[in-house]
Amino acid sequence: MLTPGPDHPITLEPSARRWRAYFNGHVIADTNDALILREADLAPVVYFPRHDVSVEYMGRTAHQTHCPYKGDAAHYTLTLDGEIAENVAWSYESPFEAMSPIRERLAFYPGRVEVYDIDDAAVNPHPRERAAEVTAREEVAEVDDSDEIDEIDEIVRHTDSGSGASQGEHWPPNVSGPDQGGAR
């Protein structure tokens, strides 16, 4: 085990931006809690919290690597929409003490999975802004759409509740039944 220092610096910093990982047409990771690891002359690496990654599409492989500064890394294969990418991500599940913040986080190999930052405000408006927007929308709905909302509510109450029965009283029939002397 080696310790990061002036001859081999490693820094970890929380990202101020939102990060995503994209594979085969799908966002497979999305977080505003990424850690950026900068190691010596290597490219920065984005570590995603495991709970912000779609791990249901991933399986651990037998492949392992060892870093004298971070420890042993487990690798993961990604299977999504019939495409399989072997050993596309890694995780230090029991990193050395100096690197403990990356425990329970995943990183992706560049070129295999697209990792990019996005403007958080564009996809996740701040709560106060969002609350003001929702309140304004609700006020407009109350003024303009009250009849439409009542009609929709009436329809919803007459749909199946999951038990096989309507949630409201039956409507009167809007058609008459067949005549007695009709075709048999």
Side-chain angles (χ1 to χ4, degrees):
M1 175 178 83
L2 298 174
T3 304
D7 58 324
H8 192 93
I10 299 178
T11 60
L12 282 167
E13 59 193 54
S15 176
R17 305 219 9 121
R18 184 179 202 93
W19 286 86
R20 286 187 174 164
Y22 187 79
F23 175 78
N24 199 21
H26 300 277
V27 173
I28 57 167
D30 182 5
T31 190
N32 58 3
D33 185 27
L35 285 179
I36 309 297
L37 183 138
R38 299 180 196 284
E39 180 175 1
D41 295 330
L42 302 173
V45 176
V46 177
Y47 280 87
F48 291 84
R50 192 177 295 264
H51 60 81
D52 289 338
V53 178
S54 297
V55 294
E56 63 271 20
Y57 301 109
M58 302 176 80
R60 188 172 174 170
T61 68
H63 183 66
Q64 285 195 331
T65 55
H66 177 78
C67 172
Y69 295 95
K70 295 185 285 292
D72 294 324
H75 287 74
Y76 294 84
T77 291
L78 184 56
T79 305
L80 190 59
D81 287 345
E83 187 170 333
I84 299 170
E86 294 283 334
N87 300 313
V88 75
W90 73 91
S91 176
Y92 290 94
E93 295 168 355
S94 297
F96 296 143
E97 187 61 34
M99 294 291 111
S100 64
I102 63 173
R103 176 180 283 115
E104 296 300 317
R105 291 179 177 264
L106 286 157
F108 297 94
Y109 282 103
R112 313 257 333 264
V113 171
E114 181 182 358
V115 175
Y116 57 95
D117 65 332
I118 60 172
D119 180 13
D120 186 45
V123 295
N124 187 26
H126 296 287
R128 286 188 184 148
E129 293 169 13
R130 179 77 177 127
E133 181 183 315
V134 168
T135 301
R137 207 176 312 132
E138 287 172 350
E139 288 170 3
V140 169
E142 285 176 19
V143 172
D144 296 343
D145 299 330
S146 59
D147 292 338
E148 184 179 334
I149 291 170
D150 290 342
E151 183 180 325
I152 291 170
D153 186 48
E154 181 72 14
I155 292 168
V156 168
R157 284 187 288 125
H158 284 87
T159 59
D160 184 349
S161 65
S163 68
S166 167
Q167 298 177 62
E169 293 297 319
H170 290 288
W171 282 323
N174 59 1
V175 296
S176 59
D179 292 333
Q180 290 271 37
R184 295 181 191 225

